[in-house]
Amino acid sequence: MNEQNIESQSDISFMRRAIELAKKGEGRTNPNPLVGAVIVKDNKIIGEGFHREYGNLHAEREALKDCAEKHNDPRGASIYVTLEPCCHQGKQPPCTQAILDAGIKEVIVGSRDPNPLVHGKGNAFLRSNGITVKEDFLKEECDYLNPIFFHFITTRKPYVALKYAMTLDGKIATAAKESKWISCQKSREHAHSLRNKYSCILAGINTVLNDNPLLTCRIEGGRNPVRIICDSKLLLPPDSEIARSAKEVRTIAAYAVQNSESEEIQKRKDILNSLGIETVQCGEKKVDLVKLMDFLGSQNLDSVLIEGGAEINYSALESGIVNHIYTYVSPKIFGGRNAPSPVGGNGIEKVESAFYFKPCAFRQIENDFLIEYESLPRAEDNKTGGN
């Protein structure tokens, strides 16, 4: 192996360390991105950091702070950063200026920042001040860190994921409606890590009435998502687990106008509001999920994990809001023509009208499999040549 290849392998290892660091901020940085940074001098790491929490130091400044605490001089060093350094004043000052002031000579960048305040400008500023910039290094791996941020910063709408566990024959419960447990313990732990990752968790009122869930994150150090209940008629019971914990965990009940907001609806709103539950009207007769996403975006909530039943799953797909799907497949078979599947609703009539998603990740969790999909436009991309 020649010297150039050795250097290339070192570059890869340093950027992958930055990626590893970035992941440590999961669940804490929303709506900011996950970012990691590693400072290298004489082929050794002399400082490293990541964006720990929204409003706190960015990864580059954390890495420079680490250098200072270790009494390492960053002048003449290289910095590997998973996302283009910011060049504007936000909750933190621009990282490009900190890099310049520290005397760093080279910046290796993974993802380009789609934020209009940064896009291309951070790298251009560095180059204009004599710093070497290498762009798009391990770009796909770095991009994989931030689909939520990329979507939200460009659309101002939440990135929406659908999650469900099913059997080999595509059932989410038995014919008697038993569903505990389809997936294994490790899969359920992974599902709780998603509750930590996404800003909100959404369920329908039928899920609340049938299962009385808490919808919180139960992993050590995890963050509870904002709970969103689609509840057209505001039927959420005041003694439910959701209502009883609403003063500790932010909870929003989305409802629809019923007979020009009858006295009964107003009474229910007052009761829920007194328990700490926010109520927001989104649509008529039933909750309009597109309007609900617009509202959540206006609240700076960048992502939603849907953990509902078959009906709300179909409504989400039909409304076109779903960006990602997590499917846990268990090695069980339930059978039964009346056993529910993950997606209900009226269904589509023609094959070419199917909701179409592209597989993007696959892993085994004990005896289960987790398959992830990302959205593609309907119909136009649904020409696979299959039958």
Side-chain angles (χ1 to χ4, degrees):
M1 184 179 291
N2 60 37
E3 185 176 341
Q4 184 177 1
N5 286 334
I6 293 173
E7 183 177 301
S8 176
Q9 288 301 313
S10 296
D11 287 340
I12 290 171
S13 68
F14 293 139
M15 184 60 87
R16 284 187 173 152
R17 173 58 181 163
I19 291 171
E20 181 183 338
L21 288 166
K23 293 176 182 177
K24 293 185 176 184
E26 195 166 81
R28 303 290 178 185
T29 67
N30 309 65
N32 279 357
L34 298 173
V35 187
V38 170
I39 299 173
V40 175
K41 193 171 185 178
D42 298 327
N43 213 38
K44 294 181 180 178
I45 294 176
I46 61 170
E48 58 183 30
F50 64 96
H51 186 31
R52 295 176 179 272
E53 191 170 358
Y54 178 68
N56 287 4
L57 290 178
H58 290 181
E60 299 92 326
R61 289 181 178 270
E62 281 281 2
L64 289 168
K65 177 184 173 185
D66 189 42
C67 274
E69 290 173 349
K70 293 175 178 175
H71 304 292
N72 291 327
D73 185 358
R75 285 178 295 180
S78 299
I79 185 168
Y80 296 76
V81 60
T82 58
L83 184 69
E84 179 180 0
C86 66
C87 54
H88 67 290
Q89 176 70 49
K91 287 187 176 295
Q92 293 292 329
C95 292
T96 49
Q97 189 62 51
I99 290 170
L100 179 63
D101 293 344
I104 286 175
K105 69 174 184 179
E106 181 184 41
V107 180
I108 298 92
V109 177
S111 298
R112 302 193 190 199
D113 193 334
N115 184 347
L117 294 174
V118 180
H119 186 59
K121 299 172 186 176
N123 292 340
F125 173 88
L126 295 170
R127 287 194 178 104
S128 69
N129 282 278
I131 296 173
T132 300
V133 179
K134 294 181 181 177
E135 297 175 310
D136 302 330
F137 189 77
L138 296 190
K139 182 179 184 300
E140 286 191 10
E141 292 182 41
C142 291
D143 285 355
Y144 191 72
L145 288 168
N146 286 304
I148 290 173
F149 171 73
F150 293 161
H151 177 82
F152 186 67
I153 200 67
T154 54
T155 68
R156 302 309 297 178
K157 297 179 186 295
Y159 183 88
V160 178
L162 197 63
K163 188 228 83 174
Y164 54 82
M166 70 178 190
T167 61
L168 281 178
D169 56 337
K171 307 296 185 182
I172 59 171
T174 67
K177 303 301 185 286
E178 289 188 11
S179 60
K180 295 183 179 179
W181 295 105
I182 289 175
S183 55
C184 69
Q185 177 66 30
K186 290 292 184 183
S187 290
R188 298 198 297 275
E189 289 173 5
H190 181 271
H192 275 277
S193 75
L194 296 180
R195 293 184 180 186
N196 176 64
K197 177 177 180 177
Y198 285 80
S199 294
C200 306
I201 185 168
L202 183 148
I205 185 59
N206 287 336
T207 296
V208 176
L209 295 176
N210 293 333
D211 301 338
N212 194 23
L214 195 54
L215 298 180
T216 54
C217 176
R218 293 187 286 279
I219 59 173
E220 186 176 354
R223 174 199 63 171
N224 287 325
V226 177
R227 300 176 302 192
I228 314 296
I229 309 301
C230 286
D231 186 6
S232 295
K233 298 181 180 180
L234 292 180
L235 299 177
L236 183 64
D239 62 347
S240 65
E241 292 283 4
I242 294 286
R244 286 152 55 108
S245 57
K247 290 185 177 177
E248 287 75 49
V249 182
R250 186 181 179 188
T251 304
I252 300 171
Y255 71 99
V257 172
Q258 306 290 329
N259 298 323
S260 300
E261 288 210 47
S262 65
E263 291 184 11
E264 181 62 28
I265 287 289
Q266 186 58 52
K267 181 179 178 181
R268 293 174 189 171
K269 278 178 62 177
D270 292 343
I271 292 171
L272 294 180
N273 292 161
S274 72
L275 295 171
I277 298 171
E278 303 169 40
T279 51
V280 57
Q281 183 261 316
C282 294
E284 299 180 5
K285 294 188 178 180
K286 68 176 185 176
V287 172
D288 184 323
L289 291 176
V290 173
K291 288 183 178 179
L292 176 56
M293 294 307 114
D294 288 341
F295 168 76
L296 296 178
S298 73
Q299 296 285 297
N300 220 25
L301 295 168
D302 66 355
S303 51
V304 177
L305 179 67
I306 299 177
E307 285 197 30
E311 296 306 309
I312 201 160
N313 288 350
Y314 183 80
S315 295
L317 289 166
E318 188 178 39
S319 68
I321 65 172
V322 179
N323 304 107
H324 199 94
I325 297 178
Y326 299 92
T327 302
Y328 300 85
V329 183
S330 165
K332 301 180 177 77
I333 294 178
F334 287 171
R337 63 177 58 89
N338 295 322
S341 65
V343 181
N346 293 326
I348 55 101
E349 294 183 1
K350 296 182 180 296
V351 172
E352 58 265 27
S353 301
F355 308 108
Y356 190 67
F357 288 79
K358 175 185 175 182
C360 60
F362 178 86
R363 78 185 82 173
Q364 185 168 355
I365 304 177
E366 292 187 345
N367 290 329
D368 294 348
F369 285 100
L370 170 60
I371 311 171
E372 297 181 45
Y373 301 86
E374 58 189 10
S375 61
L376 284 175
R378 292 180 66 179
E380 292 82 358
D381 292 280
N382 191 16
K383 297 179 175 67
T384 63
N387 55 29

